[in-house]
Amino acid sequence: MLTLESETSNFSPKLAICLECFYIDQFQEDTMADDEDPKEYRWETGYEKTWEAIKEDDDGLVEGSIAEIIQKAKRKRQAMKKGFSKLGMMRHLYVILDCSEAMSVPDLKPTRLLCTLKLLEIFIEEFFDQNPISQLGVIAMKAKRAEKITELGGSCRKHIKAVGNLNKLNLTGEPSLQNGLELALKTLKMVPSHASREILVVMGSLTTCDPTDIHITIDALKTEGIRCSVVSLSAEIRVCKFLCTETGGVYGAVLDDSHFKDQLLQHIDPPQAGNQQEFSMIKMGFPHGKTEEGKDPPLTMCMCHIDSTDEPSKLTSGGYHCPQCYSKYCELPVECTACGLTLASAPHLARSYHHLFPVPHYQELPFQQQATNCYGCQKLFGETTDKTIYQCATCRQFFCIDCDIFVHETMHSCVGCTTIPASVQALHARKPVPPPHSMSL
């Protein structure tokens, strides 16, 4: 053990050098121990360190690494999709939107509310495009209350208009998650058991002011088989995570506006059917134009706008007539208010059916001059921008990343398989064909 005198005159220079070397060695050992420790802070574990994956090529450029990162991000959600599962095709979804004072924070530009409304319009349009026989409703939470903005319905235009009008809303108070869930539960309890019942909560506040124990509401949602998912705009909230875990939903906290969009769009595809969801044959009607030969169609009023105050019903000659009660409607799909028959068209059923039998995933291959251009968009492949290309196992054609995403998410049909006759025959031989006049949902 070393002892130091209090007087500096008696302090040895050799002892000072030894102490300095001792402290330097000790600092280096502590630094090496910190580097070898694989543990990170909790707030760091949720982020991907993409800057470590960016590497320069032989020419000193980083375009290749950036293009590879973008390709992996585009295919990440696509790789999670699996076909031949029991899905909830007829969906009844309530979107519960936080309209409290916390939504005025400008971390998402211009504000949380305006960014959410803009992305919700995109979500609603995509939702009805991919789920044409489903219904959606919107609920707003503010000042410890919950208010129903739109009822469950299949009109995309009506919901987009109602969501657009929320930008004039006065953001006050705290939200009440329990009141919002209870309001959605009252309506979803009346939905038939063969339909998928879901709730999507967009939460901007870190707190919720509830009248009673929210765990009672969560237990009721779990008993009814209602799937609840939450998208948090601030941070991870324990009660919201518990809600998603108990009901089988998905929880996510956004990083920025682009990540927010990805979190919303992942709820467009129908989820797997729950254990409490029944499977039965659904009676559906295919409307027709009721006309007589040699006569112009009569002027009649539609049933969908007869009780509307914003857009009152008008006398028109066109429309869709219910084959059971001959009530007229402006657009499809819709549930007949007179006889309760679900009215749809053949393309609507076809667009719902492709979720059960999606296009098989393309094989990912490194670009080695297998083809000069993409078979879909005819874009020329480049060594720096297209490090990876994708090949269909049936038609053996090569595609770029953008065509791969477009085929699997929007078109739902391979371009090469539908244009090459031999591939079409192989495709039909592999796919089971449903009965001509029925479909089990």
Side-chain angles (χ1 to χ4, degrees):
M1 179 179 294
L2 298 175
T3 56
L4 299 178
E5 300 289 339
S6 58
E7 297 180 2
T8 57
S9 59
N10 297 329
F11 191 79
S12 174
K14 295 183 179 180
L15 180 61
I17 295 174
C18 293
L19 286 175
E20 183 178 358
C21 294
F22 170 76
Y23 285 125
I24 292 176
D25 293 339
Q26 186 69 28
F27 175 76
Q28 290 178 349
E29 291 178 2
D30 294 341
T31 305
M32 292 175 62
D34 293 340
D35 294 340
E36 294 176 357
D37 190 4
K39 296 182 180 179
E40 297 178 342
Y41 290 106
R42 185 170 181 84
W43 58 268
E44 290 181 329
T45 57
Y47 294 86
E48 296 181 1
K49 297 181 180 180
T50 54
W51 55 87
E52 296 180 356
I54 299 178
K55 298 179 180 179
E56 295 182 354
D57 55 12
D58 298 336
D59 298 330
L61 302 176
V62 296
E63 294 180 358
S65 297
I66 296 176
E68 186 177 356
I69 293 174
I70 294 175
Q71 286 186 348
K72 289 181 179 180
K74 287 182 178 180
R75 286 186 58 88
K76 183 178 180 181
R77 188 179 65 190
Q78 187 64 37
M80 297 173 61
K81 296 182 181 179
K82 296 181 180 180
F84 303 94
S85 301
K86 295 181 179 179
L87 305 178
M89 306 298 294
M90 298 185 66
R91 305 174 63 185
H92 291 72
L93 172 67
Y94 258 118
V95 179
I96 301 180
L97 178 60
D98 184 5
C99 294
S100 64
E101 189 176 357
M103 294 296 287
S104 60
V105 178
D107 53 355
L108 296 175
K109 303 301 179 184
T111 61
R112 286 182 180 179
L113 180 65
L114 296 180
C115 180
T116 303
L117 296 181
K118 180 182 65 175
L119 294 179
L120 266 183
E121 293 179 0
I122 300 174
F123 170 78
I124 293 173
E125 186 175 354
E126 290 290 330
F127 177 83
F128 284 108
D129 181 68
Q130 300 296 325
N131 306 272
I133 58 175
S134 301
Q135 297 185 15
L136 182 141
V138 181
I139 295 175
M141 301 181 300
K142 73 166 189 172
K144 307 173 186 177
R145 300 177 183 272
E147 178 184 357
K148 192 175 292 186
I149 305 301
T150 57
E151 296 282 350
L152 281 176
S155 176
C156 174
R157 181 168 46 85
K158 181 184 70 174
H159 295 301
I160 291 179
K161 182 179 179 182
V163 168
N165 293 333
L166 291 178
N167 59 0
K168 305 174 184 177
L169 198 64
N170 187 19
L171 305 179
T172 57
E174 293 180 287
S176 176
L177 181 60
Q178 185 181 20
N179 287 337
L181 296 175
E182 287 284 353
L183 185 58
L185 177 61
K186 290 180 181 178
T187 304
L188 294 177
K189 286 172 62 176
M190 309 303 295
V191 173
S193 57
H194 64 260
S196 173
R197 296 174 290 182
E198 307 167 50
I199 295 176
L200 175 60
V201 182
V202 180
M203 195 78 174
S205 176
L206 289 172
T207 60
T208 172
C209 187
D210 302 322
T212 57
D213 187 6
I214 193 173
H215 292 84
I216 300 176
T217 304
I218 296 176
D219 293 338
L221 292 167
K222 183 179 179 181
T223 304
E224 293 292 335
I226 300 175
R227 183 175 184 265
C228 302
S229 300
V230 179
V231 177
S232 177
L233 307 185
S234 50
E236 182 175 306
I237 307 172
R238 184 186 179 278
V239 67
C240 295
K241 185 69 176 290
F242 179 76
L243 170 67
C244 299
T245 304
E246 289 294 308
T247 59
V250 179
Y251 184 86
V254 305
L255 304 177
D256 51 19
D257 52 352
S258 60
H259 186 246
F260 186 13
K261 183 178 180 180
D262 292 337
Q263 291 287 321
L264 276 180
L265 295 184
Q266 72 174 345
H267 298 283
I268 289 179
D269 295 332
Q272 291 192 4
N275 296 329
Q276 299 181 355
Q277 186 173 342
E278 298 180 359
F279 304 96
S280 59
M281 303 297 293
I282 309 301
K283 186 178 180 181
M284 305 187 72
F286 297 90
H288 54 83
K290 186 181 178 183
T291 58
E292 297 181 4
E293 296 183 0
K295 295 183 179 180
D296 295 332
L299 295 175
T300 54
M301 300 178 68
C302 64
M303 295 291 293
C304 48
H305 292 100
I306 197 168
D307 295 329
S308 177
T309 57
D310 298 334
E311 298 179 3
S313 182
K314 299 179 181 179
L315 289 171
T316 56
S317 58
Y320 303 96
H321 295 272
C322 175
Q324 186 165 280
C325 64
Y326 300 106
S327 300
K328 191 180 81 169
Y329 295 90
C330 293
E331 55 187 9
L332 297 177
V334 69
E335 183 176 347
C336 183
T337 56
C339 63
L341 184 66
T342 301
L343 306 179
S345 62
H348 290 147
L349 292 181
R351 279 155 54 192
S352 299
Y353 187 68
H354 66 242
H355 291 292
L356 293 175
F357 300 98
V359 180
H361 294 304
Y362 289 165
Q363 185 180 2
E364 186 175 349
L365 300 173
F367 179 62
Q368 297 176 350
Q369 303 294 332
Q370 297 96 328
T372 57
N373 58 313
C374 171
Y375 186 80
C377 63
Q378 300 298 313
K379 184 191 75 170
L380 295 176
F381 289 133
E383 295 183 357
T384 57
T385 58
D386 298 288
K387 282 194 170 184
T388 306
I389 59 176
Y390 306 91
Q391 184 183 28
C392 176
T394 305
C395 64
R396 314 301 297 176
Q397 298 298 328
F398 296 95
F399 299 89
C400 64
I401 178 64
D402 295 323
C403 287
D404 176 32
I405 299 297
F406 179 75
V407 165
H408 288 86
E409 292 191 353
T410 305
M411 194 172 181
H412 303 286
S413 180
C414 178
V415 180
C417 294
T418 54
T419 55
I420 302 175
S423 300
V424 175
Q425 295 178 4
L427 188 66
H428 286 295
R430 179 170 49 84
K431 274 191 176 182
V433 180
H437 300 294
S438 64
M439 179 184 295
S440 177
L441 300 180

